[in-house]
Amino acid sequence: MNSLEQLVSVQSLWLVIKIGYLIAFLLYVLFAAVVMAQVKQMTKTIDAGMNGKLLVASRFHLLFAVGLFVLALVVL
Amino acid sequence: MSKKKSGNTKAKRKRREPADYSQVVKEFKQTNNPFTAFSIMPKGLSVEIQDKNEKILLLVRRHIVTNLKWVTVTVLLVFSPLLFSIAPFYSQIPVNFQFMGIVLWYLLTLALSLEGFLNWYFDMFIVTDERIIDIDFKNLIYRNVTSTKIDRIEDVTYTVSGAIPSFMDFGNVMIQTAGAGMGMDPQETSPHMEIYDTPHPAKVAKLINELILEEEQEKIEGRVR
């Protein structure tokens, strides 16, 4: 195997890892969306005095997850 | 004269305040803490299925000690990246992959702690002067809300088992109810609600018993809301 082939195989290895990273970040975005939906549902079911704060926190958390996914796209 | 008499009867038939018939309500002070695991007459709490005049007497979550498991795991996960640099192959990983790997690690830690907190915060048991409401929030994709009228409760038992529960005063309360199964499980033959790891289980059972007695008294005296 010459050095060019070695380089290509190393490059493709990191490409696979990059895709793995991106899938993981995407799954986190889905998780954050589920958290937001559940918090919204639960705050409809019960108001335990923290509803406003929890809703804001869950929305911020989703935005944060999307931001990190974009960061991963840029950095990797 | 007859007008006065009818007025008196009306006054007698008025619904009593919880503090008038419940020792448990008298014993504990109200709290504003939204993260409490045991709250008598919680301020600012309301439930979707609650009636207009229905009063919430008790809010119970699992004892705070039960959070220790996920908190410990979270703390361990927070400090674990310090050990990454010891791994022999770590220096060969490109810096951007190292950085995003650590970000991903902390995201997973955040996910774990968030799920642990939400499971604890939303999994609650509520006692009103009319019914008991059990909100099961097992995980992010499963929740079950069950309610039973006080007059359908047949038996209340509580169990405190183990050294830590005995020391910290928490345990399980089992509420046996009359009639057909309440849950979604068709295999369920004995309709019941079970509250796990509740603080002061004896007080919870006592409050429910006080409510059963009050409900019976209301029926005898013909008191209505």
Side-chain angles (χ1 to χ4, degrees), chain B residues 14-125:
Chain B
K14 205 179 150 194
R15 196 176 178 81
R16 293 201 295 169
E17 287 300 312
D20 295 338
Y21 57 84
S22 172
Q23 286 292 320
V24 180
V25 170
K26 274 189 219 165
E27 200 177 316
F28 290 89
K29 282 183 182 167
Q30 271 186 313
T31 172
N32 285 326
N33 181 4
F35 301 113
T36 184
F38 185 92
S39 178
I40 288 283
M41 306 277 286
K43 287 177 188 168
L45 177 73
S46 61
V47 193
E48 195 182 21
I49 56 171
Q50 185 183 353
D51 287 341
K52 199 181 160 192
N53 297 321
E54 195 172 348
K55 283 181 187 151
I56 295 177
L57 305 184
L58 176 69
L59 162 75
V60 171
R61 293 190 179 98
R62 272 175 284 136
H63 196 281
I64 201 101
V65 167
T66 58
N67 290 324
L68 209 63
K69 207 156 94 182
W70 69 261
V71 170
T72 310
V73 173
T74 302
V75 170
L76 287 174
L77 288 175
V78 164
F79 291 107
S80 301
L82 294 171
L83 302 172
F84 285 0
S85 52
I86 299 169
F89 56 86
Y90 192 70
S91 56
Q92 290 163 19
I93 300 171
V95 178
N96 56 344
F97 279 88
Q98 280 184 17
F99 173 69
M100 289 318 286
I102 288 173
V103 169
L104 201 57
W105 180 272
Y106 281 116
L107 272 188
L108 294 177
T109 308
L110 180 66
L112 188 91
S113 55
L114 209 60
E115 203 193 347
F117 169 73
L118 291 175
N119 286 355
W120 174 79
Y121 185 78
F122 284 125
D123 194 307
M124 54 178 84
F125 177 75

Side-chain angles (χ1 to χ4, degrees), chain A residues 21 38 45-47 50 75, chain B residues 46 48 96-97 121 124 140:
Chain A
Y21 266 65
Q38 272 289 29
T45 308
I46 186 157
D47 182 0
M50 286 282 290
V75 170
Chain B
S46 61
E48 195 182 21
N96 56 344
F97 279 88
Y121 185 78
M124 54 178 84
L140 282 172

